[in-house]
Amino acid sequence: MSSTHTANPRMTLTTEGDTHVVVTRRFNASPEAVYRAHTEPAIIQRWLLGPDGWTMPVCIHENRPGGKFRYEWSNGKGQGFYITGELIALEPGSRIVHVERMHLPDPTPDNHIETTFRRDGNGTLMTMRMTLPDAKTRAQMLATGMERGMEASYVRLEGLQLD
Amino acid sequence: MFILIADMQNLDSTFAALADPTRRAILARLALGETTVMELAKPFEMTQPAVSRHLKVLEEAGLIVRRVDGSKRPARLAPSGIEAIDQWLGMLRNALARNYDRLDQVLAEINPNQGGNPQ
């Protein structure tokens, strides 16, 4: 499976080989600013939210190599889930390496993620490369992510007025 | 019109087939290529009859096709299965895109002097 979606030219989502998922996105901000948005809890809580109506009431992020993090999401209606992870390498303004797993509530196998921030013209090109332990884990992760995406679509549908 | 009705009936069985998270995961796994029941049973920690039952539902919904290979009946995605996977990837993509659109706004707010025109 190798699939690239280019409807939004600023972002790509691609599968690579049997175990990788690669996401790229351009931002009109410096690599330093985009890096901060990925490492400072107060900023993370403002954008890493998923579907409308979801919030991140808990954002613990020990910003140092070996540091742990825990993000908890809630839809305010009793549904929620969380991820935990460890930071492996941090190069301010350019690179983050970490592992994470989702708790649903059983933990999923570790997802190993390298995120790089490169200056690109006046902005930044972010590349997030995920490595899953095997093909089946990647398939399940995509299936789970699809459900969250589907939920977002349903939420949007609910907001539509048909007249 | 007949085609439309046939399509709608197919759509019903498609929804039913995809209502089960295990079947969605099996479909995602088949996106990697043709797979036998035995190869599916092991990673999904299911018995072969249980996998076969899920495959039967997916096959009847037209999402997968199977062929005979000796005593095996390997399964692969049918065109409508590929389409379903593609739509899911599109939805996942949209969910991610939504986060990053929000980040664009946050970046513009937190650091108006940084970004657009680095000195």
Side-chain angles (χ1 to χ4, degrees):
Chain A
M1 175 170 60
S2 182
S3 175
T4 308
H5 294 263
T6 52
N8 180 342
R10 284 181 307 169
M11 191 186 110
T12 65
L13 170 70
T14 319
T15 55
E16 204 183 273
D18 278 355
T19 59
H20 305 287
V21 177
V22 180
V23 176
T24 69
R25 176 65 151 80
R26 263 197 52 81
F27 294 98
N28 291 321
S30 67
E32 292 75 18
V34 184
Y35 175 90
R36 279 183 59 202
H38 282 78
T39 51
E40 293 182 18
I43 308 177
I44 293 169
Q45 279 178 299
R46 290 173 63 186
W47 67 271
L48 192 58
L49 302 175
D52 283 349
W54 284 74
T55 60
M56 190 195 285
V58 175
C59 182
I60 298 164
H61 189 101
E62 298 173 354
N63 198 31
R64 54 175 173 79
K68 294 182 192 309
F69 65 87
R70 179 187 174 106
Y71 303 159
E72 290 185 26
W73 288 272
S74 161
N75 72 348
K77 297 174 197 161
Q79 283 178 294
F81 67 98
Y82 64 100
I83 68 172
T84 60
E86 293 82 45
L87 296 160
I88 295 167
L90 290 163
E91 293 167 30
S94 67
R95 184 168 169 262
I96 302 167
V97 181
H98 76 275
V99 289
E100 67 174 46
R101 80 262 340 154
M102 290 176 75
H103 299 260
L104 299 165
D106 293 332
T108 58
D110 280 3
N111 185 0
H112 191 278
I113 303 173
E114 179 186 40
T115 310
T116 59
F117 309 92
R118 298 246 154 75
R119 187 168 289 286
D120 177 33
N122 285 335
T124 299
L125 175 67
M126 184 199 77
T127 303
M128 189 164 59
R129 188 180 156 89
M130 308 179 199
T131 305
L132 287 310
D134 50 50
K136 170 222 151 198
T137 305
R138 185 183 68 179
Q140 284 189 329
M141 187 198 73
L142 288 174
T144 306
M146 288 161 198
E147 281 173 52
R148 308 242 168 260
M150 283 165 92
E151 185 177 5
S153 306
Y154 292 144
V155 169
R156 264 195 298 279
L157 271 179
E158 281 170 13
L160 280 179
Q161 295 292 320
L162 299 173
D163 49 16
Chain B
M1 195 60 179
F2 289 116
I3 292 167
L4 189 66
I5 290 165
D7 268 0
M8 283 175 70
Q9 280 173 343
N10 196 41
L11 209 60
D12 277 349
S13 62
T14 302
F15 277 130
L18 297 179
D20 182 283
T22 303
R23 285 198 286 273
R24 287 196 292 269
I26 288 174
L27 210 61
R29 172 65 185 80
L30 291 179
L32 303 173
E34 193 175 70
T35 311
T36 64
V37 174
M38 210 167 70
E39 287 167 337
L40 282 170
K42 198 178 168 200
F44 283 92
E45 288 169 3
M46 290 169 68
T47 62
Q48 292 191 26
V51 170
S52 292
R53 277 195 297 276
H54 284 305
L55 289 179
K56 190 161 184 278
V57 177
L58 290 169
E59 189 176 18
E60 282 170 0
L63 293 166
I64 65 166
V65 290
R66 304 183 70 180
R67 65 184 177 87
V68 177
D69 177 16
S71 61
K72 292 182 228 156
R73 295 197 58 215
R76 64 186 159 81
L77 289 185
S80 64
I82 293 168
E83 209 172 282
I85 294 274
D86 220 43
Q87 281 179 5
W88 284 345
L89 276 179
M91 287 172 187
L92 175 60
R93 206 198 138 279
N94 286 342
L96 275 175
R98 210 175 179 81
N99 273 347
Y100 291 134
D101 289 347
R102 221 170 354 232
L103 177 52
D104 281 336
Q105 292 214 322
V106 170
L107 287 168
E109 286 165 22
I110 60 168
N111 230 333
N113 299 323
Q114 212 170 358
N117 280 307
Q119 319 229 331

